[in-house]
Amino acid sequence: MEMEGHRASDQRAVWSLLAEKSERLGATSETAAMSALFEKVDRPLDDLVTAFRAQPGQVGAAFAIDGRVAGLEWFDAASTWRKLAPKLLRSYALDALDSRRRRGEGGVADVPTLIAALRTAIGTAHAAVGEGEDIRLSGARVAGAALFARGRVIHLSAFPQA
């Protein structure tokens, strides 16, 4: 958004990354359908989602893969976390199942280090697609985004960067 002045994505690059992940997980199909990937890993992902239950008052979580922080998700309400946690768990779990992903490169090893990096990140505000502002965060060892509306942060996602 900083460079283009509007939201844009490189769908070709996204599909290429997903195709590579599908190949590593042995879930290729003639049509390169994403459904093949999810059919291959559906059971392990369901088992993982079932194993984790939101705790009373929980509003988010930090996720680690191979002993390194992979991301942080935080919401303004426990009800929102309960609703979205299964989808987020599946996403992080899919990365964990991808055994050939780069391991131990860059990033941060613990949540306090990620939060410290987040505190020094620079934020830029843009009009959100719906209500509020889309805040993009960039720092020396962190990248993230937040939705700010109704006087508070509604959702914050943060990811370690090399």
Side-chain angles (χ1 to χ4, degrees):
M1 284 194 303
E2 286 296 310
M3 295 184 329
E4 302 290 330
H6 60 85
R7 287 170 181 77
S9 68
D10 184 347
Q11 272 313 115
R12 181 170 288 155
V14 170
W15 284 110
S16 177
L17 290 171
L18 290 172
E20 290 170 14
K21 183 181 292 274
S22 292
E23 187 173 324
R24 287 191 304 269
L25 291 171
T28 57
S29 73
E30 289 181 21
T31 61
M34 283 307 300
S35 59
L37 173 60
F38 286 103
E39 286 172 16
K40 170 82 175 176
V41 298
D42 198 41
R43 178 63 186 218
L45 293 181
D46 284 345
D47 290 346
L48 182 73
V49 170
T50 302
F52 288 92
R53 294 287 176 212
Q55 300 301 303
Q58 183 176 357
V59 295
F63 297 89
I65 300 172
D66 295 330
R68 310 234 4 120
V69 175
L72 173 75
E73 304 288 341
W74 180 89
F75 295 90
D76 68 330
S79 59
T80 309
W81 169 250
R82 281 191 308 275
K83 178 180 177 182
L84 296 175
K87 182 177 181 178
L88 290 166
L89 280 165
R90 288 179 71 81
S91 177
Y92 283 99
L94 186 58
D95 284 343
L97 290 174
D98 184 4
S99 63
R100 291 188 189 168
R101 58 181 265 297
R102 291 182 305 211
R103 296 172 187 245
E105 293 182 13
V108 297
D110 58 53
V111 175
T113 302
L114 179 65
I115 291 172
L118 192 55
R119 286 183 176 159
T120 61
I122 303 296
T124 57
H126 308 272
V129 171
E131 178 182 358
E133 290 182 295
D134 180 351
I135 311 294
R136 297 301 167 117
L137 303 162
S138 180
R141 297 180 70 191
V142 67
L147 173 62
F148 184 83
R150 293 173 257 148
R152 65 184 187 273
V153 173
I154 305 297
H155 177 214
L156 169 71
S157 292
F159 308 95
Q161 299 294 299

